[in-house]
mmCIF file of all heavy atoms in Angstrom:
data_model
loop_
_atom_site.group_PDB
_atom_site.id
_atom_site.type_symbol
_atom_site.label_atom_id
_atom_site.label_comp_id
_atom_site.label_asym_id
_atom_site.label_seq_id
_atom_site.Cartn_x
_atom_site.Cartn_y
_atom_site.Cartn_z
ATOM 1 N N LEU A 6 32.604 12.522 44.906
ATOM 2 C CA LEU A 6 32.379 13.486 45.920
ATOM 3 C C LEU A 6 32.513 14.938 45.386
ATOM 4 O O LEU A 6 31.774 15.813 45.785
ATOM 5 C CB LEU A 6 33.349 13.287 47.061
ATOM 6 C CG LEU A 6 33.126 12.054 47.921
ATOM 7 C CD1 LEU A 6 34.252 11.853 48.919
ATOM 8 C CD2 LEU A 6 31.772 12.042 48.631
ATOM 9 N N VAL A 7 33.363 15.120 44.396
ATOM 10 C CA VAL A 7 33.517 16.438 43.825
ATOM 11 C C VAL A 7 32.407 16.700 42.882
ATOM 12 O O VAL A 7 31.900 17.856 42.804
ATOM 13 C CB VAL A 7 34.889 16.525 43.122
ATOM 14 C CG1 VAL A 7 35.015 17.792 42.328
ATOM 15 C CG2 VAL A 7 36.043 16.347 44.132
ATOM 16 N N LEU A 8 31.982 15.746 42.082
ATOM 17 C CA LEU A 8 30.897 15.994 41.083
ATOM 18 C C LEU A 8 29.577 16.241 41.661
ATOM 19 O O LEU A 8 28.785 17.000 41.152
ATOM 20 C CB LEU A 8 30.861 14.823 40.105
ATOM 21 C CG LEU A 8 32.093 14.717 39.187
ATOM 22 C CD1 LEU A 8 31.919 13.477 38.296
ATOM 23 C CD2 LEU A 8 32.261 15.937 38.372
ATOM 24 N N PHE A 9 29.191 15.547 42.725
ATOM 25 C CA PHE A 9 27.821 15.702 43.285
ATOM 26 C C PHE A 9 27.516 17.119 43.735
ATOM 27 O O PHE A 9 26.572 17.739 43.284
ATOM 28 C CB PHE A 9 27.534 14.732 44.379
ATOM 29 C CG PHE A 9 26.135 14.973 44.979
ATOM 30 C CD1 PHE A 9 25.012 14.686 44.262
ATOM 31 C CD2 PHE A 9 26.000 15.520 46.209
ATOM 32 C CE1 PHE A 9 23.761 14.909 44.778
ATOM 33 C CE2 PHE A 9 24.792 15.750 46.762
ATOM 34 C CZ PHE A 9 23.648 15.468 46.083
ATOM 35 N N PRO A 10 28.415 17.761 44.524
ATOM 36 C CA PRO A 10 28.152 19.162 44.893
ATOM 37 C C PRO A 10 28.105 20.093 43.685
ATOM 38 O O PRO A 10 27.265 21.004 43.669
ATOM 39 C CB PRO A 10 29.313 19.520 45.787
ATOM 40 C CG PRO A 10 29.700 18.227 46.420
ATOM 41 C CD PRO A 10 29.555 17.202 45.281
ATOM 42 N N ALA A 11 28.930 19.844 42.681
ATOM 43 C CA ALA A 11 28.862 20.652 41.526
ATOM 44 C C ALA A 11 27.519 20.529 40.771
ATOM 45 O O ALA A 11 26.952 21.528 40.307
ATOM 46 C CB ALA A 11 29.967 20.280 40.528
ATOM 47 N N SER A 12 26.964 19.291 40.680
ATOM 48 C CA SER A 12 25.711 19.110 40.062
ATOM 49 C C SER A 12 24.572 19.726 40.871
ATOM 50 O O SER A 12 23.610 20.272 40.336
ATOM 51 C CB SER A 12 25.428 17.638 39.756
ATOM 52 O OG SER A 12 25.278 16.935 40.985
ATOM 53 N N LEU A 13 24.688 19.659 42.179
ATOM 54 C CA LEU A 13 23.691 20.289 43.048
ATOM 55 C C LEU A 13 23.723 21.832 42.841
ATOM 56 O O LEU A 13 22.720 22.474 42.799
ATOM 57 C CB LEU A 13 23.957 19.912 44.533
ATOM 58 C CG LEU A 13 22.944 20.481 45.543
ATOM 59 C CD1 LEU A 13 21.530 20.123 45.196
ATOM 60 C CD2 LEU A 13 23.360 20.041 46.923
ATOM 61 N N LEU A 14 24.930 22.350 42.783
ATOM 62 C CA LEU A 14 25.080 23.802 42.533
ATOM 63 C C LEU A 14 24.475 24.181 41.242
ATOM 64 O O LEU A 14 23.771 25.248 41.112
ATOM 65 C CB LEU A 14 26.561 24.180 42.592
ATOM 66 C CG LEU A 14 26.908 25.655 42.380
ATOM 67 C CD1 LEU A 14 26.237 26.510 43.463
ATOM 68 C CD2 LEU A 14 28.396 25.875 42.390
ATOM 69 N N LEU A 15 24.666 23.344 40.183
ATOM 70 C CA LEU A 15 24.093 23.617 38.899
ATOM 71 C C LEU A 15 22.590 23.667 38.974
ATOM 72 O O LEU A 15 21.957 24.568 38.406
ATOM 73 C CB LEU A 15 24.566 22.592 37.885
ATOM 74 C CG LEU A 15 24.004 22.753 36.482
ATOM 75 C CD1 LEU A 15 24.476 24.047 35.876
ATOM 76 C CD2 LEU A 15 24.505 21.606 35.587
ATOM 77 N N VAL A 16 21.940 22.743 39.685
ATOM 78 C CA VAL A 16 20.522 22.717 39.824
ATOM 79 C C VAL A 16 20.011 23.972 40.568
ATOM 80 O O VAL A 16 19.054 24.604 40.167
ATOM 81 C CB VAL A 16 20.048 21.437 40.625
ATOM 82 C CG1 VAL A 16 18.599 21.501 41.014
ATOM 83 C CG2 VAL A 16 20.254 20.210 39.690
ATOM 84 N N MET A 17 20.722 24.357 41.594
ATOM 85 C CA MET A 17 20.343 25.533 42.385
ATOM 86 C C MET A 17 20.444 26.785 41.484
ATOM 87 O O MET A 17 19.529 27.639 41.485
ATOM 88 C CB MET A 17 21.225 25.651 43.614
ATOM 89 C CG MET A 17 20.939 24.561 44.648
ATOM 90 S SD MET A 17 22.091 24.553 46.007
ATOM 91 C CE MET A 17 21.766 26.146 46.750
ATOM 92 N N ILE A 18 21.491 26.913 40.752
ATOM 93 C CA ILE A 18 21.654 28.081 39.839
ATOM 94 C C ILE A 18 20.594 28.091 38.750
ATOM 95 O O ILE A 18 19.959 29.110 38.451
ATOM 96 C CB ILE A 18 23.078 28.090 39.219
ATOM 97 C CG1 ILE A 18 24.118 28.376 40.311
ATOM 98 C CG2 ILE A 18 23.150 29.131 38.074
ATOM 99 C CD1 ILE A 18 25.555 28.232 39.865
ATOM 100 N N SER A 19 20.283 26.925 38.217
ATOM 101 C CA SER A 19 19.246 26.805 37.161
ATOM 102 C C SER A 19 17.942 27.224 37.723
ATOM 103 O O SER A 19 17.122 27.923 37.074
ATOM 104 C CB SER A 19 19.154 25.386 36.661
ATOM 105 O OG SER A 19 20.333 24.982 36.025
ATOM 106 N N SER A 20 17.614 26.829 38.964
ATOM 107 C CA SER A 20 16.308 27.179 39.536
ATOM 108 C C SER A 20 16.260 28.708 39.804
ATOM 109 O O SER A 20 15.215 29.326 39.570
ATOM 110 C CB SER A 20 16.127 26.470 40.909
ATOM 111 O OG SER A 20 16.030 25.061 40.680
ATOM 112 N N LEU A 21 17.376 29.316 40.234
ATOM 113 C CA LEU A 21 17.423 30.708 40.468
ATOM 114 C C LEU A 21 17.228 31.487 39.182
ATOM 115 O O LEU A 21 16.483 32.410 39.108
ATOM 116 C CB LEU A 21 18.749 31.115 41.133
ATOM 117 C CG LEU A 21 18.930 32.595 41.438
ATOM 118 C CD1 LEU A 21 17.845 33.051 42.407
ATOM 119 C CD2 LEU A 21 20.312 32.840 42.018
ATOM 120 N N VAL A 22 17.914 31.038 38.061
ATOM 121 C CA VAL A 22 17.738 31.660 36.754
ATOM 122 C C VAL A 22 16.308 31.602 36.333
ATOM 123 O O VAL A 22 15.741 32.529 35.762
ATOM 124 C CB VAL A 22 18.705 31.005 35.762
ATOM 125 C CG1 VAL A 22 18.388 31.437 34.311
ATOM 126 C CG2 VAL A 22 20.129 31.364 36.078
ATOM 127 N N LEU A 23 15.676 30.449 36.556
ATOM 128 C CA LEU A 23 14.236 30.242 36.155
ATOM 129 C C LEU A 23 13.354 31.285 36.848
ATOM 130 O O LEU A 23 12.536 31.949 36.219
ATOM 131 C CB LEU A 23 13.774 28.857 36.522
ATOM 132 C CG LEU A 23 12.306 28.562 36.286
ATOM 133 C CD1 LEU A 23 11.970 28.569 34.807
ATOM 134 C CD2 LEU A 23 11.911 27.207 36.907
ATOM 135 N N VAL A 24 13.576 31.479 38.181
ATOM 136 C CA VAL A 24 12.819 32.453 38.891
ATOM 137 C C VAL A 24 13.109 33.885 38.432
ATOM 138 O O VAL A 24 12.190 34.629 38.260
ATOM 139 C CB VAL A 24 13.085 32.324 40.430
ATOM 140 C CG1 VAL A 24 12.445 33.425 41.198
ATOM 141 C CG2 VAL A 24 12.580 30.993 40.922
ATOM 142 N N ILE A 25 14.387 34.205 38.235
ATOM 143 C CA ILE A 25 14.747 35.562 37.767
ATOM 144 C C ILE A 25 14.143 35.803 36.368
ATOM 145 O O ILE A 25 13.578 36.866 36.078
ATOM 146 C CB ILE A 25 16.269 35.748 37.761
ATOM 147 C CG1 ILE A 25 16.767 35.730 39.203
ATOM 148 C CG2 ILE A 25 16.671 36.971 37.005
ATOM 149 C CD1 ILE A 25 18.276 35.712 39.282
#
Side-chain angles (χ1 to χ4, degrees):
L6 291 175
V7 172
L8 290 178
F9 177 69
S12 64
L13 181 57
L14 180 60
L15 180 60
V16 168
M17 292 172 62
I18 291 171
S19 298
S20 296
L21 181 60
V22 168
L23 175 68
V24 171
I25 290 170

